[in-house]
Amino acid sequence: MKSMRSILPATALLLACMASPAWAVKPFVADYEATVKGVIHADAQMKLTSAGGNRWNYELSVNNPIASVRQTTVFEDRDGTWRPLSGNDSTQMLIKKSQKNASYDWIAGEARWSGDVKPDRMGPVKLQAGDVDAMMLNLVIVRDVAAGKSLSYRMVDNGLARQQTYQNLGQEKITVAGKPKTATKVSRSSEGKLVTVWVVEGLPVPARILQQDDGKDSLDLVLKSVN
């Protein structure tokens, strides 16, 4: 199974600035149904909890009998601006394990990675104001769709800095927890990968995240409930 951190426009949902008071950081627990490569089904959960002070812990976990993935990002809210501080990505498939760690040093202005990473992905990568990691994108997209903002971000993750720009494709009817909802559909495409995100007004997380690689579904996360 690929790292969920590399799959999500990330998994994400989970994402720069939250200037509007209506978008103050609040805890939540969101449960998803996950389908990997169209055949493997799993339970997934996104969770946001306080890490004390102005720091927050954002976690994604995906579990089924043959594999489990857990990703966490600790970020801080500095007067409405979010920035990542650290990240952890662990994957276990039967007897194979992988562990990656990220550190975002805003005083030094650089990010580094350790653990099961290639030497050319250890960094450092120079940080810029507004940078996000792959997890935080989930939350930033939800906020910016609601605010009608540009959906263009610099993502610093897995030893690289990439520009991620999403296009607003308009509204679409979807079903969330058995109820019909109107969602805003956004997507980005690059290097054979298409990521589509559905955002429903009032929900703090994406209602659905679909990634397709070379035209085939690789990951589909569908929201079941959020509290």
Side-chain angles (χ1 to χ4, degrees):
M1 181 183 294
K2 293 183 178 180
S3 165
M4 294 293 290
R5 187 175 293 273
S6 66
I7 288 177
L8 290 177
T11 311
L13 350 315
L14 48 78
L15 315 139
C17 300
M18 296 191 76
S20 169
W23 285 95
V25 188
K26 296 180 180 179
F28 64 76
V29 176
D31 291 308
Y32 286 82
E33 178 182 354
T35 304
V36 181
K37 297 189 178 300
V39 294
I40 302 174
H41 298 281
D43 294 321
Q45 186 178 83
M46 290 185 188
K47 182 166 59 176
L48 183 66
T49 57
S50 173
N54 63 345
R55 298 188 176 192
W56 294 83
N57 187 74
Y58 180 39
E59 178 182 336
L60 168 69
S61 59
V62 181
N63 297 284
N64 80 348
I66 64 173
S68 65
V69 176
R70 182 176 180 270
Q71 295 181 345
T72 61
T73 288
V74 176
F75 66 90
E76 65 178 351
D77 178 5
R78 294 174 63 88
D79 299 323
T81 298
W82 289 17
R83 62 185 193 182
L85 300 177
S86 64
N88 177 273
D89 185 344
S90 61
T91 302
Q92 181 170 348
M93 294 184 61
L94 299 178
I95 61 173
K96 184 178 180 180
K97 295 182 180 180
S98 174
Q99 179 85 27
K100 299 178 182 180
N101 303 295
S103 175
Y104 298 85
D105 187 336
W106 289 92
I107 295 177
E110 61 184 31
R112 294 179 181 270
W113 291 263
S114 62
D116 298 316
V117 298
K118 297 179 180 179
D120 63 347
R121 293 295 183 91
M122 291 182 175
V125 173
K126 185 175 177 58
L127 292 172
Q128 298 178 9
D131 283 351
V132 298
D133 72 2
M135 283 282 286
M136 291 174 65
L137 269 176
N138 300 312
L139 305 181
V140 168
I141 288 173
V142 169
R143 179 215 64 183
D144 288 350
V145 165
K149 294 183 178 181
S150 169
L151 304 177
S152 184
Y153 313 98
R154 185 174 184 264
M155 183 181 73
V156 179
D157 199 88
N158 196 28
L160 296 172
R162 304 183 183 93
Q163 196 66 30
Q164 305 284 329
T165 300
Y166 290 77
Q167 303 297 320
N168 191 323
L169 303 180
Q171 294 189 325
E172 182 174 295
K173 294 291 185 181
I174 66 171
T175 300
V176 179
K179 298 181 180 179
K181 300 286 184 179
T182 299
T184 299
K185 183 179 180 181
V186 304
S187 73
R188 69 167 177 85
S189 178
S190 63
E191 302 177 348
K193 178 183 296 184
L194 176 64
V195 177
T196 308
V197 182
W198 287 261
V199 177
V200 172
E201 182 178 0
L203 296 181
V205 293
R208 184 184 179 192
I209 300 171
L210 173 65
Q211 177 173 310
Q212 298 167 300
D213 294 323
D214 298 322
K216 297 180 180 179
D217 291 1
S218 57
L219 175 70
D220 194 2
L221 288 175
V222 179
L223 182 66
K224 297 191 296 185
S225 65
V226 60
N227 297 294

